[in-house]
Amino acid sequence: MYQSITANDLEQELKNSQLNILDVRDVDAFVEGHIPDAINIPINELPEKLATLDKEQAYTIICYAGGRSERASQFLAAEGFDVTNVMGGMGAFHGTVTQ
């Protein structure tokens, strides 16, 4: 089981706290623009890179529209991670983005 928040809620949370953002878009989309300090692990690489994530940390999962992040959230939650899915993804995110 995992939580979900909107992209707007994420923007507000980022103003007040440091979050572990996991961006599951492909590398090209990530390079074009992402939330500062986000970690990029494309969804198709998640199973093999699972060991690089820390189960003691909570992760906020984002993609472009919310579909891949939802699948990634389901997968990571089943593996024992504390995750929150961002509904609407980067397409709905209007906060600070870096390249």
Side-chain angles (χ1 to χ4, degrees), residues 33-90:
H34 57 272
I35 296 169
D37 299 322
I39 304 162
N40 180 226
I41 302 178
I43 191 167
N44 60 338
E45 295 177 18
L46 262 183
E48 65 203 50
K49 296 199 174 168
L50 206 53
T52 65
L53 299 175
D54 181 356
K55 284 192 178 177
E56 302 298 313
Q57 300 284 327
Y59 292 93
T60 301
I61 317 299
I62 196 163
C63 63
Y64 181 74
R68 285 174 288 181
S69 63
E70 186 172 353
R71 290 196 307 278
S73 294
Q74 289 170 345
F75 171 74
L76 290 168
E79 294 292 327
F81 287 88
D82 178 2
V83 295
T84 301
N85 176 47
V86 180
M87 299 179 296
M90 291 298 293

Side-chain angles (χ1 to χ4, degrees), residues 21-33:
I21 307 290
L22 177 58
D23 192 320
V24 296
R25 296 175 299 155
D26 63 34
V27 174
D28 291 341
F30 182 80
V31 170
E32 284 178 20

